[in-house]
Amino acid sequence: MAELQMLAADYGASSGRVMLGSYNGCRIELSEIHRFTNDPVILGKKNGNVMYWDFLRLFHELKNGILKSKAYGMPISIGVDTWGVDYGLLDADGCLLSNPIHYRDGRTEGMLQEAFGQIDRERFYEITGNQFMEINTVFQLMADVRQRPGLLKLAKRLLLMPDLFNYFLSGEMAAEYTEASTTQMLDAKKKCWSGEVLEALSLPGQLLPEIVMPGTLLGKMRGSLEEELGVRNLKVAAVAGHDTQSAMAAVPAKAENFIFLSCGTWSLFGTELDAPVISDASYRYNVTNEGGCCEKTSFLKNIIGLWLIQESRRQWAREGIQYDFGQLEAMATKEKPFLAVIDPDAPEFVPAGNVPERIREYCRRTSQAVPESVGAVVRCIDESLALKYRSVLEEIQSCTGRKYEAVHLVGGGAQSALLCQMTANACGIPVYAGPIEATVYGNLSMQLMAAGEVHSLREIREIVGNSEKIKAYFPMDTDAWQMAWEKSKKVLG
């Protein structure tokens, strides 16, 4: 068959890129077209500050990527994936009312407990199956109702981040299913917006668009945009808009019963199921059910991931020392093991700032040895992440009643041999690392599904397996890691 070319726009929490995928019927070859940073912008207001996403610049970078792709031929389609939970508001004319607010902004503080005063916590989870996190869309919208009522009066539509890009590309307003499932406003079993949740929390449900499944063709690019960029007949597909689910679709697992770990700024650890698991155990462990591709459910836990390394690196840069990730890993390898352990999800590690000092203070407060050197801080982070993964593995197995024989680790974390080996050691099962570009492969694969070229996750995963080499890590030092796991329970819960 003639090669098909597609564009994947993949927006992460700190960077974005436009990638070209060439599909020959057996494998996908990737080419990076355009890469850019994704820098939040903090602006002052009457009382305090607001942290925004710079959507205008991000859309400008998307257009730059499309322009650059013309040198490679004519792609048939484009798909956009982003992080979850955040959104933009449009007025009656379809104009953006404000830059979307960043999930790390402090406006949602207190919304979780306020919500529980209006809807029973257990009933809330029973409907949505979502992990309770104050960054979730439902709590952001609650904050908007209270803090920005004037803006909401002007709003006619709420679009989640990938849907916002899709709208300005195609003119079509829709809510892609996997992204919608991160909002905590979706009925997990019925796969539709929950009227009960919206009514209980007095939220403007009329702002929410119709839900479409990943692999849906939205239409052609806007004519005005085609003219501006000099392209023709470029179709816009709704892929798995939540980057986690794009990555999940591309996990090259041959067995149906597997654990996945999508490891980037966030770590998403879980398994793929045919239906949501909403039980006393999943409620107690605060595990989330996210919508996946091909009607699947991703049963997973959100864990703060490489953010801890990324933000520590930024702090050291502020102090005048630049380290690349390879240098940090090399320094960590030389440090004494199991000096201290932190809970990566402790609230003090969520905001931007001096993460290394917060780690030291956490260790002082919990009467542990304090990691003073750069290498010791990095090793503490990596070991703590690996032990946290073990903790969540135990929770997932308890909820599903299954034992898992391997972890498929995809995303940027697959580049860290140290973290991959530590994860295998902590979990006591092999780790298969790769592909690094799982999110892009998943994005492109759902475009192939929209084009009628593939029809199942099995086909997609076979194509990804043909396209990438996977590296295996097997458990080592299991006795030492088991002892570390037993000690860490006091910190990790």
Side-chain angles (χ1 to χ4, degrees):
M1 64 173 287
E3 282 197 343
L4 296 178
Q5 292 189 322
M6 303 152 291
L7 293 177
D10 172 36
Y11 288 91
S14 59
S15 66
R17 62 265 178 84
V18 177
M19 304 281 286
L20 179 74
S22 300
Y23 174 63
N24 66 4
C26 178
R27 62 190 300 273
I28 296 172
E29 183 176 340
L30 301 182
S31 301
E32 184 176 294
I33 302 296
H34 183 53
R35 180 179 287 269
F36 46 91
T37 62
N38 182 3
D39 304 298
V41 178
I42 298 174
L43 292 177
K45 61 176 183 177
K46 188 175 181 180
N47 297 303
N49 295 311
V50 181
M51 180 182 284
Y52 295 97
W53 296 106
D54 192 351
F55 179 79
L56 302 183
R57 175 175 171 262
L58 295 178
F59 194 78
H60 172 72
E61 298 291 1
L62 175 56
K63 291 197 287 186
N64 282 341
I66 296 170
L67 280 171
K68 290 181 180 180
S69 75
K70 292 163 61 177
Y72 295 79
M74 188 59 68
I76 62 168
S77 61
I78 185 169
V80 180
D81 65 78
T82 77
W83 60 95
V85 306
D86 291 334
Y87 57 87
L89 297 169
L90 302 175
D91 68 12
D93 292 325
C95 294
L96 186 65
L97 286 169
S98 168
N99 259 323
I101 296 183
H102 198 294
Y103 60 78
R104 292 193 190 277
D105 183 79
R107 68 186 174 135
T108 56
E109 186 176 349
M111 291 298 111
L112 198 65
Q113 292 306 315
E114 186 171 331
F116 296 153
Q118 299 175 50
I119 182 171
D120 178 75
R121 179 174 180 149
E122 291 188 33
R123 177 58 182 159
F124 200 175
Y125 182 81
E126 182 183 1
I127 296 168
T128 66
N130 280 151
Q131 179 180 355
F132 289 113
M133 303 174 71
E134 276 194 326
I135 66 173
N136 290 351
T137 315
V138 66
F139 306 117
Q140 294 196 43
L141 190 53
M142 284 179 62
D144 270 352
V145 168
R146 288 148 183 77
Q147 300 165 20
R148 303 199 298 174
L151 191 68
L152 281 181
K153 286 182 181 178
L154 296 173
K156 296 298 180 183
R157 187 63 76 211
L158 180 155
L159 293 180
L160 296 158
M161 291 304 295
D163 307 321
L164 196 62
F165 285 102
N166 287 339
Y167 164 69
F168 283 107
L169 283 171
S170 69
E172 296 297 322
M173 295 186 186
E176 188 278 319
Y177 168 63
T178 69
E179 187 77 5
S181 73
T182 72
T183 64
Q184 208 148 32
M185 297 187 291
L186 194 76
D187 187 307
K189 295 176 180 176
K190 297 178 181 177
K191 297 180 171 64
C192 63
W193 299 117
S194 170
E196 183 176 342
V197 168
L198 294 168
E199 183 178 353
L201 299 177
S202 302
L203 298 178
Q206 74 277 5
L207 297 181
L208 303 176
E210 178 185 354
I211 294 170
V212 299
M213 289 293 163
T216 297
L217 189 63
L218 295 175
K220 285 178 57 180
M221 181 181 283
R222 290 174 184 261
S224 59
L225 195 54
E226 281 192 334
E227 184 175 350
E228 177 188 348
L229 302 179
V231 298
R232 293 289 180 270
N233 299 316
L234 184 64
K235 297 175 182 177
V236 180
V239 299
H242 188 207
D243 52 10
T244 299
Q245 299 310 320
S246 273
M248 181 70 188
V251 170
K254 295 181 180 179
E256 292 188 3
N257 191 25
F258 63 91
I259 286 287
F260 74 91
L261 170 54
S262 180
C263 187
T265 301
W266 288 86
S267 289
L268 295 308
F269 190 104
T271 190
E272 184 177 80
L273 302 171
D274 291 327
V277 170
I278 300 176
S279 63
D280 289 342
S282 67
Y283 169 74
R284 184 171 66 255
Y285 292 132
N286 201 21
V287 186
T288 200
N289 292 268
E290 282 190 11
C293 297
C294 301
E295 304 288 329
K296 294 289 188 179
T297 293
S298 290
F299 186 63
L300 59 88
K301 198 89 173 268
N302 288 275
I303 306 164
I304 287 183
L306 299 181
W307 160 258
L308 295 170
I309 300 286
Q310 294 163 354
E311 192 61 16
S312 293
R313 183 169 171 258
R314 281 188 280 269
Q315 177 60 33
W316 291 317
R318 287 190 286 267
E319 294 171 3
I321 308 174
Q322 296 280 355
Y323 297 108
D324 63 37
F325 292 107
Q327 288 174 309
L328 294 176
E329 183 161 315
M331 286 188 284
T333 303
K334 297 175 183 177
E335 294 291 336
K336 181 181 178 181
F338 311 125
L339 182 70
V341 63
I342 61 169
D343 182 353
D345 291 326
E348 57 262 48
F349 300 132
V350 174
N354 192 341
V355 166
E357 186 53 37
R358 292 177 195 164
I359 288 172
R360 296 184 186 105
E361 179 55 35
Y362 183 101
C363 293
R364 293 185 194 104
R365 191 176 70 250
T366 53
S367 302
Q368 300 183 81
V370 177
E372 297 291 353
S373 70
V374 170
V377 168
V378 175
R379 187 172 189 108
C380 176
I381 291 170
D382 281 345
E383 288 179 346
S384 298
L385 285 173
L387 291 166
K388 184 75 172 187
Y389 300 153
R390 166 69 183 271
S391 178
V392 177
L393 174 63
E394 299 280 334
E395 294 173 358
I396 297 291
Q397 290 183 152
S398 175
C399 292
T400 63
R402 300 178 181 180
K403 290 289 184 182
Y404 299 94
E405 297 180 355
V407 175
H408 283 270
L409 192 158
V410 300
Q415 297 175 92
S416 173
L418 182 63
L419 181 59
C420 291
Q421 186 61 60
M422 286 181 172
T423 302
N425 297 347
C427 294
I429 53 179
V431 167
Y432 297 100
I436 296 166
E437 301 290 2
T439 301
V440 173
Y441 279 116
N443 180 318
L444 295 166
S445 296
M446 296 314 293
Q447 292 183 59
L448 288 174
M449 185 167 283
E453 296 292 330
V454 300
H455 304 91
S456 69
L457 284 173
R458 184 183 296 274
E459 286 181 74
I460 288 171
R461 287 168 177 160
E462 184 176 346
I463 290 167
V464 175
N466 293 337
S467 305
E468 287 280 342
K469 290 184 179 179
I470 307 303
K471 186 171 182 179
Y473 296 84
F474 297 96
M476 299 170 61
D477 303 323
T478 51
D479 289 344
W481 277 89
Q482 182 63 28
M483 289 177 61
W485 156 244
E486 295 294 340
K487 288 177 63 177
S488 74
K489 290 180 182 179
K490 293 180 181 179
V491 173
L492 299 177

